[in-house]
Amino acid sequence: MSVVSSVTVKVPATTANLGPGFDCIGAALTIYNQFQFNRLDEGLIIQVTGAEAERVQTDESNLLYQAFVKLYQYIDQPTPGVKIEIELGVPLARGLGSSATAIVGGLVAANRLAGEPLSQEQVMELAIAIEGHPDNVVPALLGGCRLAATSAKGWEICDVPWHSDVVPVVAIPDFELSTSEARRVLPTEYSRADAIFNTAHLGLLLRGLETGKREWLRAALQDKLHQPYRQALIPGYDAVNTAAVKAGAYGMVISGAGPTLLALANVSHAGAVEAAMSTAWQEAGITAVVRSLALDTHGAT
């Protein structure tokens, strides 16, 4: 492809872990960040619109720009001057992959402006290297629900079938939880029993998502590697979980590192689950935006 001077990249939010799939599974959701890149003769201009726009860095420390530079370094070309316009739709530091949208957006834009010297697989590997784990950046780039595993060659990415009746409902509170803080509370070692528990439940989750079978999904969303330790960092967790399940959800998990909570529900119960989660957090004195979403199947476009 010939070199272009302008490109707009739209990248979906993601939810990682889905309970037992800690650091290896994630799904793209229908909330988006959009990034427009215009080549300049020199320099850097970053403009940001949308909720929390004032909190985004507009200098060379911006993660989107750092990813943009990383690709040019990788292909051993000078980074061009660029004007970047960011339109925020994904909440910051809420467990919905905002950093993954920046990493993927920067890499995809740079690759297009450079004439697409890298394959999608190479872009994906760069994204994983920058993020440190695959669960958010892979679905942000590829769309859908994805399981990532290492192999002798690098990464094997598996598309996870997602039944059309399974609706993700996100409850996004008005407070933040940093990934580093959420990781600090985790133990450094786990028992064999806990490892076996999560292995079994991840297998059940994959089949539950594919079939939409209620009994499998209700059991599958349990986890012993990260959620028991992180729940205390999220005020109102127990109340929101109880309300979601009572309203008909298969279960509720922490989205990524949190504090966003994700319920999975049948399409016929999604509205009731949405209302119940909103009310439960409101009664706990916390303002939250609760939305029924869908699986994004396109990834970065």
Side-chain angles (χ1 to χ4, degrees):
M1 178 178 287
S2 61
V3 175
V4 296
S5 60
S6 177
V7 62
T8 300
V9 185
K10 184 179 179 183
V11 188
T14 50
T15 183
N17 304 327
L18 297 176
F22 185 41
D23 275 3
C24 66
I25 194 171
L29 302 175
T30 49
I31 314 175
Y32 302 91
N33 280 340
Q34 185 164 291
F35 312 108
Q36 182 174 339
F37 292 74
N38 291 284
R39 189 188 295 270
L40 301 176
D41 290 336
E42 61 180 17
L44 170 66
I45 299 171
I46 300 177
Q47 298 174 342
V48 190
T49 59
E52 304 177 292
E54 71 283 350
R55 299 183 52 236
V56 177
Q57 299 294 322
T58 55
D59 56 20
E60 292 183 354
S61 67
N62 181 282
L63 181 58
L64 178 72
Y65 181 69
Q66 289 182 344
F68 183 82
V69 170
K70 183 74 73 174
L71 186 132
Y72 278 95
Q73 292 173 339
Y74 185 82
I75 63 176
D76 198 24
Q77 288 187 20
T79 304
V82 66
K83 177 182 179 182
I84 304 173
E85 296 174 59
I86 300 172
E87 186 179 323
L88 291 176
V90 180
L92 302 174
R94 299 295 204 284
L96 288 169
S98 59
S99 63
T101 70
I103 293 168
V104 169
L107 293 176
V108 169
N111 197 44
R112 176 60 66 92
L113 290 180
E116 302 214 20
L118 300 187
S119 67
Q120 187 181 63
E121 183 176 358
Q122 290 173 306
V123 171
M124 181 192 74
E125 289 172 353
L126 260 182
I128 295 172
I130 295 171
E131 178 83 326
H133 42 88
D135 50 356
N136 282 307
V137 292
V138 171
L141 177 64
L142 303 179
C145 185
R146 305 280 174 165
L147 176 69
T150 54
S151 72
K153 298 182 296 179
W155 289 96
E156 293 294 337
I157 306 301
C158 176
D159 178 27
V160 177
W162 186 293
H163 197 282
S164 59
D165 284 348
V166 179
V167 176
V169 181
V170 294
I172 310 165
D174 63 352
F175 63 88
E176 296 182 8
L177 180 59
S178 71
T179 300
S180 58
E181 182 183 0
R183 286 193 179 272
R184 270 198 302 271
V185 300
L186 301 181
T188 55
E189 295 181 349
Y190 295 95
S191 69
R192 180 189 299 174
D194 286 352
I196 293 170
F197 181 96
N198 267 57
T199 301
H201 284 74
L202 177 56
L204 190 61
L205 174 67
L206 299 179
R207 290 290 288 136
L209 289 173
E210 180 181 9
T211 62
K213 187 170 180 178
R214 179 180 180 85
E215 292 79 9
W216 289 352
L217 284 169
R218 291 196 69 170
L221 293 173
Q222 299 176 66
D223 155 78
K224 290 195 175 180
L225 297 188
H226 67 108
Q227 294 190 134
Y229 308 98
R230 290 173 165 173
Q231 290 171 14
L233 301 176
I234 305 174
Y237 177 94
D238 290 336
V240 178
N241 180 50
T242 299
V245 173
K246 188 176 180 180
Y250 300 127
M252 189 189 80
V253 296
I254 300 171
S255 180
T260 291
L261 301 178
L262 170 82
L264 294 183
N266 183 280
V267 63
S268 63
H269 291 104
V273 170
E274 185 179 332
M277 295 175 79
S278 180
T279 299
W281 241 338
Q282 189 175 16
E283 290 176 350
I286 294 169
T287 301
V289 175
V290 187
R291 298 174 60 182
S292 295
L293 301 174
L295 191 72
D296 171 274
T297 56
H298 302 290
T301 55

